[in-house]
Amino acid sequence: MSESKKLDLPAVRALLEKSHGREYWRSLEDLAQTDAFQDLMHREFPRYASEWEDGDSRRNFIKLMGASLALAGLSACTRQPTEHINPYVRQPEELVPGRPMFFATAMPLGASSTGLLVESHEGRPTKIEGNPDHPSLGACDVYAQASVLGLYDPDRSQALAQEGEIRSWGAFLGTVQQAVAAQKAKQGAGLRILTETVTSPTLADQIKGMLAVFPGAKWHQWEPAVAHSAAAGARLALGQPVNTTYDLRGANVIVSLDADFLSSGPGSLRYARQFAAGRRVRTPQTDMNRLYVVEPMPTPTGTKADHRLPLRAADVEQFAWSLAAALGADTSGRKGVPNAAFDKWIGPIARDLQRHRGASLVIAGEQQSPAVHALAHSMNALLGNVGKTVVYTEPVEANPVDQVASLYDLVKDLDAGAVDLLVVLGGNPVYDAPVELGFRDRLKKATLRVHLSLHEDETSELCHWHLPMTHYLETWSDCRAHDGTVTIMQPLIAPLYAGKSVHEVLTMLTDQPERSGYDIVKSYWNSQHTGADFEAWWRKAVHDGVVPDTALPVKTVALRAGWAASLPQPAGQQGLEIVFRPDPAVYDGRFANNGWLQEFPRPITQITWDNAAFMSPATAHEKGVVTSDLVELEYRGYKMRAPVSIQPGHADGSVTVHLGYGRTRAGHVGTRIGFNAYGMRTSTALWQDFGLNARKVGSDYLLVSIQDYHALDTRRHIIEATTIDKYRSNPNVIQESAEAPPRELTLYPEYRYDKYAWGMAIDLTACTGCGACVVACQAENNIAVVGKQEVHHGRHMHWIRVDSYFHGDIENPKIYNQPVPCMQCENAPCELVCPVQATSHSSEGLNDMVYNRCVGTRYCSNNCPYKVRRFNFFLFSDWNTPSLKLQRNPDVTVRSRGVMEKCTYCVQRINRAKIDAEKEERKVRDGEIQTACQATCPTEAIIFGDINDPNSRVTKLKAEKINYGLLADLNTRPRTTYLAALRNPNPEIET
Amino acid sequence: MKPRPPIYGVMAEFNNPTALVNAAREARARGYRKMDAYTPFPIEELNEALHLSKSKLPLIVLTGGILGGLTGFLMQYYVTVIYFPINVAGRPLDSWPMYIVITFELTILFAAISAVFGLLALCGLPMPYHPTFNVPRFARASRSRFFLCIRATDPLFDRKATEDFLESLEPREVAEVAH
Amino acid sequence: MADERPIIEEELPPEPVIAPGYTFGTVTDQIASVVLTRRTPAFWMACFSAGFALLLVFLWCVALLFAKGVGIWGIMIPVGWGFAITNFVWWIGIGHAGTLISAILLLLNQRWRNSINRFAEAMTLFAVACAGMFPLLHMGRPWLFYWMFPYPNTMGVQPQFRSPLVWDVFAVSTYATVSFLFWFVGLMPDLATLRDRATNRMARGVYGMLAMGWRGSAHHWLHYETASLLLAGLATPLVLSVHTVVSFDFTIAIVPGWHSTFFPPYFVAGAIYSGFAMVLVLAIPLRWVYGLEGLITDKHLDNSAKVMLATGLIVGYSYMLETFTAWYSGNVYESSALWNRMTGPYAGAYWFLITCNIVSPQFLWFKRVRSKPLFLFLASLVVLMGMWLERFVIIVTSLAQDFLPSSWRVFHPTRWDWATYAGTIGLFTFLFFLFIRLLPMISIFEVRTLLPQAKIEEEGEA
């Protein structure tokens, strides 16, 4: 069986050679026609008649959640915080019932934060938007979009617990004050504080304050998924830790050394926006930046590369050495091990970089080794990019330490029994600390253990005291952006449960334990404030969501001469490589209980509800495994079972696993799904290492991806792509290949759309496939989560999806992303077949869906060539859980069982804007309406507007020569059209 | 008006259709008009023997059909063009080719219904009671026997004479039919 | 209509359709006795109980369906229609044979039909009943089914008359009504017979009420004959239209594999094909159990077999035409849809149906084969299976792989799909055997006309 299941690679290659022209394909199994694929495709009925039960188990736990909530006695009422919080003035100052207000705040994550404007309906935060005044430029990532669900997560811990027993804050205060008093005597020698990465000035000030009182106490930091080696790299090359930020506006040639700077890590939102701006070709004259990416696992950044080279994570360092050497950087004679894969690239890339001195950029990946960071520093210095495309500042972290060392230090003290009182503020070290530390057992050595967290998680389980933490939307605090800009976070809602913020908990250890978070934060900033009228300043700062002039000052640093001398001569390594990366959806595991993120199809892989061992076709072939087989990964004696997912474009000889799964105490959604890669992650190799063994131990694991496997006939007009040169030589190249029938070829009289005619244009050149639009849409439109089983059955409910297609050879295909919302066809096939007029056309060209009228024949979906309609096969929406009701958008119907639903171009937003416009007796202005997907898009790839207005952005885009309609040959006349994907390859490499 | 005759009529039972048809012709020749024949299956020759006029059913059915067709088309036109005019799939409001199916179906439906109810009306059914049922052997009319009944309302009818006449036709048996 | 030609060519049978030796009385008694006097045979008990058991399964499925939603079936996006619509088309098709026999053969004066039209019509009614349920069951919100009908309402909305589903509603409900009326009119004289022959009072009462006082008077017969001819004339275009309209459900849509103009004749032929198969499946055991070989003779089986052969050939031709157009059109969607059908996940189903529907009927060319009831019975079962698969393949494969490969998915039926299907077979059996027991399964008065004694000898002849 396993033999026959082998992937016949030669066959695949042959097949691809046969396929002349642009041959797009969806997946490998498809090309390969492996037995596994045959299996998958040939489940002839009546096989697989397995669903006696309808697999709606998710419904049951939602019920459980409802129950647990009822027990907690939470009613659906909300209270504004008593303190004065400041509405972000877009709408009239005063709150108008039925009108949302927007409040500025920020979501801290790792060593950075995203600036937000949170939409609040009568005191309920319901939707996250980006804050354009913030360095994140008004875009959002999936984490920010989904965080609003995290606020209302019914599994959040709702009460203090002392070893499982519910207690009052008073009781805790008593205990902890006692313990602290005991510490007073010994200078706090037994007091330890463990936090995640801290960027909050207030918190840092509080902790430093404590350390002043307790000189013997120690502050440790551990967060699993931050850039641990960046600081080391900076020390190596520049002699000091610095924060490296980039300005892509001036960068014409960008080399990413395994850096996914477009979709993850500090500043990625800003970088994505700037990067896309540098690629927006509107006339053949405009220039286009060029991106080279070397990385093991395809990332959204990789999909945008003009040249992408899959390299083992370790080889990225070799590549960096070679490139640096080729550029003539000071590498103390060290150079990378020659490698057939990239040697031919080094020259062209080096020349390309040199041609753009001061306008080029080398970015080292957060997870790459210190050496790679150092090399990036030296290359940027050499190319004169420093100060132009690269900007150095002081670290954003309040206390930049080597977190691994910090954690080791703590462990040492624990072993010595020196820890009397351990206060864990946030984080989940028991789950995510390096495995060799055995933190689970060592933690127990602390005499009194206190854990503050959103959920009762793995760490809370082992602590004497579990304290419920307030969600950031319930909290007064502050945080820094990637460039240091401070946001004062204001609560949108009073804590739903008995939670306290980290500031409030910390102050309980002091002699003024009753201070509110508001006082702590405000008084800190008062103490920092110079000049008159603090109140006005405070009001403005809170209102704007950014504190003026808090971006860290630019720092000039010099490259250490001969820095490389200290390093050993780079040597090639053999064997199978294991690569750890944060999960694109649940990150380091903290979002594991967020249904939206679990169901969010990961970029490129399209997998939901799971993590997997990703490997290249060749590696899979060698191991004799195919997608959804189970392999046993063995690394340094640690063993782990993981499902295989074959990822075209993955580096050979390397296996990527995503962190954040295999949670044992995450909540009803996130517990016990996927495998826990932390179980193999050691402090000496946080991100990648060799010495992995993988052997097949099973098959038919239910690995659910929302795209099934099929080849794409290029005669179908789905993805249109070309290169900038071809476009320049013939601007009509796209339109010539398309087959849109001329409008006048019809017997029917045309319907006329006199007032408004809504339309959308999606720029495939800009789209990185990050998927923020998918989650944004889910939040805006009350879209239900259906659970793994139902996604497996093909019943996911996303109104917009990001299809990904591969093109070219399987080792290193080009990858295209295509966001697909409803096309709002003017000749909508769905409307014609609806027996009850539940879907019909509006006077503005919207393809309306009337839920109340729908009887659920599903005929419309059958007849929709784009398959963008979604059906409620069961009662998918949760009608019971009170807290989830709070999250719902009151302007959008919550769908019930048996009705069809679909993208409406956010018609609720359109109508709000139209009402405003009518009141002011004007037409809706261009850009006044932003659909949820558009508003959150980091690269502004989605543009919506009135195509009757000749000056609107969307009209201009649709006039572009590279504008085309999806399946336009069907004469559906889609209102949503696409701008073809343009690439800018280096003629020296690709001709 | 004339007084109600004491009996409904006189009925003769025959073994086979031929005898019945001949009898009917005889009676007709004798000038009897108000008579009827009862058989277990349709016999065309009887229509001519008894001079039955053609059925009006086709006219009724035609009317029903036309009515149905009009109803079907006008209903659709009214709903899509006047009552609820809305842009569906960019098609014109009056997309008459799309109306053909339902127009056709309603034509058939109305026609068929009028055919059946027309039949019942013309046969005077349902009729729970009828004098002929008083003749015990009449039950065989639905099995294997053939009956000819001359009604008392016939001007030539004379209880004795008519019975003798029928006897002369060599029936199995002659019986009086009470009211 | 091509599918009638073989019937037209069929001469009036040289030898009598009915075995010799029957008289008006014996014919009547034999048929009526099945209902009135004879003891219920074990065979009937067995079939009826089986049907009833399956009927309970069906009710169970429906209860669960209404409680939970259509998600208990295997349907999803993109395959929004699965077994439900397949069964709908299949059952409707089966119904067609009944109307064909009772109406078209009547118009064509094919008198051999007289002894099989009654239960064939009954079969039509029950098949339509089974079919008619699926459009309702497959709805996401079945309790709102009446929104499909035009009626004055406060919402100010009416059905969307451009939708083939609404056409279905009208076509199927008309078909059901007309078939019932036709069937009932046909029953009236026989009900009278039962009324007159029934010994127990209650039976007499009930049959009497249903017979509405039918006396078989010459006037009655005059109108009656006209009525049956008219109804036949109406039912003929109707039966042809119904499956045409059903095929519109697919041809009006733009789905590759559905969107084609030759579906109507293709579907009608298929309908009659499966219909006659069902007639044989029912007739062969019945005549054996009730010893009716004298009335339902080998002649009947032979003719039915010929009709099957003819329609089977038409269906086979349609398959070829479908393939040809897909290739000849040069349309990427059409051709790949058909290619996927033949080689893709459903290839097994496709080739199996080809075997059932094209290969198996070829044996019917041989008289020897046609005269073997057992073989005909098996062949008919194969054809029924094949026709179900045909509908499944057309509906599901076309949806599973349409335009955007990113949305393609394979349909997997759940146990509830199968249970619901089996359930309707139960319902059909249940109703049919109820009919066998309570009403004459052969039209008594029409059989009487087949007897030589029914002929009038004019003077001079004798």
Side-chain angles (χ1 to χ4, degrees), chain B residues 24-83:
Chain B
R25 291 202 177 113
E26 278 293 318
R28 179 84 194 174
R30 278 295 188 85
Y32 287 105
R33 292 288 175 274
K34 293 223 160 61
M35 54 184 176
D36 201 349
Y38 302 90
T39 57
F41 56 85
I43 299 171
E44 279 175 42
E45 288 80 353
L46 277 176
N47 305 345
E48 150 269 332
L50 298 172
H51 290 261
L52 300 180
S53 53
K54 280 186 101 291
S55 168
K56 294 186 187 48
L57 201 52
L59 198 63
I60 302 173
V61 175
L62 178 67
T63 331
I66 291 170
L67 207 64
L70 288 177
T71 316
F73 188 90
L74 295 179
M75 170 187 69
Q76 296 179 80
Y77 183 88
Y78 173 71
V79 165
T80 41
V81 180
I82 299 155
Y83 180 73

Side-chain angles (χ1 to χ4, degrees), chain A residues 595-657:
Chain A
W596 292 350
L597 287 173
Q598 285 289 4
E599 198 148 304
F600 161 64
R602 317 300 190 256
I604 303 135
T605 68
Q606 303 287 348
I607 285 173
T608 71
W609 288 96
D610 258 311
N611 61 343
F614 297 99
M615 60 184 77
S616 74
T619 314
H621 182 61
E622 179 192 320
K623 300 287 171 194
V625 293
V626 294
T627 297
S628 84
D629 280 352
L630 270 176
V631 287
E632 184 175 75
L633 304 173
E634 186 181 1
Y635 164 70
R636 294 197 186 175
Y638 304 108
K639 288 188 176 162
M640 191 132 300
R641 283 169 167 247
V644 172
S645 174
I646 297 181
Q647 188 52 54
H650 196 288
D652 294 344
S654 174
V655 173
T656 302
V657 294

Side-chain angles (χ1 to χ4, degrees), chain A residues 246-418:
Chain A
Y246 309 105
D247 184 345
L248 278 67
R249 279 169 299 189
N252 298 332
V253 177
I254 304 161
V255 177
S256 153
L257 303 169
D258 188 16
D260 183 18
F261 64 95
L262 291 180
S263 80
S264 65
S268 57
L269 293 168
R270 184 187 191 86
Y271 302 152
R273 175 77 45 101
Q274 294 177 340
F275 173 77
R279 286 178 90 73
R280 202 157 277 127
V281 174
R282 293 296 169 251
T283 67
Q285 289 69 41
T286 43
D287 270 327
M288 184 172 176
N289 62 27
R290 178 174 295 145
L291 172 64
Y292 301 89
V293 176
V294 291
E295 60 184 4
M297 167 86 180
T299 62
T301 307
T303 65
K304 291 290 95 184
D306 297 299
H307 295 287
R308 177 179 176 277
L309 191 58
L311 289 181
R312 299 184 305 176
D315 295 340
V316 170
E317 180 175 337
Q318 305 303 330
F319 177 90
W321 281 114
S322 308
L323 184 59
L327 284 168
D330 159 29
T331 60
S332 317
R334 281 150 182 67
K335 51 154 49 85
V337 180
N339 180 329
F342 59 71
D343 284 348
K344 60 179 186 304
W345 281 33
I346 297 294
I349 296 179
R351 282 188 288 282
D352 206 5
L353 284 169
Q354 268 150 344
R355 271 197 300 276
H356 295 84
R357 296 182 55 79
S360 57
L361 176 59
V362 181
I363 306 182
E366 283 195 302
Q367 293 89 4
Q368 276 297 334
S369 65
V372 174
H373 285 269
L375 285 161
H377 290 306
S378 62
M379 283 188 267
N380 283 323
L382 185 72
L383 292 164
N385 296 333
V386 179
K388 299 197 179 70
T389 58
V390 183
V391 178
Y392 293 118
T393 70
E394 286 298 335
V396 173
E397 300 92 326
N399 175 17
V401 294
D402 178 344
Q403 295 192 349
V404 174
S406 169
L407 199 58
Y408 258 93
D409 190 14
L410 174 60
V411 167
K412 195 164 93 288
D413 293 352
L414 283 166
D415 290 344

Side-chain angles (χ1 to χ4, degrees), chain C residues 13 51 69 77 80 86 128 184 209 217 273 318 325 328 338 400 424 431:
Chain C
I77 309 295
T86 307
V128 172
F184 184 78
M209 251 179 281
S217 92
Y273 189 33
S318 309
T325 37
Y328 189 69
L338 205 86
T424 47
L431 292 171

Side-chain angles (χ1 to χ4, degrees), chain B residues 93-162:
Chain B
L93 293 178
D94 176 18
S95 27
W96 60 268
M98 303 292 233
Y99 303 161
I100 293 174
V101 173
I102 293 179
T103 309
F104 170 81
E105 298 296 343
L106 285 190
T107 313
I108 299 286
L109 182 62
F110 279 47
I113 291 177
S114 42
V116 172
F117 286 95
L119 167 67
L120 294 180
L122 292 173
C123 297
L125 299 177
M127 184 183 288
Y129 171 78
H130 191 277
T132 49
F133 290 130
N134 296 331
V135 180
R137 296 183 62 85
F138 183 73
R140 293 162 176 273
S142 65
R143 178 168 180 265
S144 52
R145 296 303 160 82
F146 304 78
F147 294 81
L148 181 68
C149 174
I150 300 179
R151 253 180 275 123
T153 48
D154 188 284
L156 291 184
F157 183 81
D158 168 88
R159 206 157 168 171
K160 184 74 185 68
T162 312

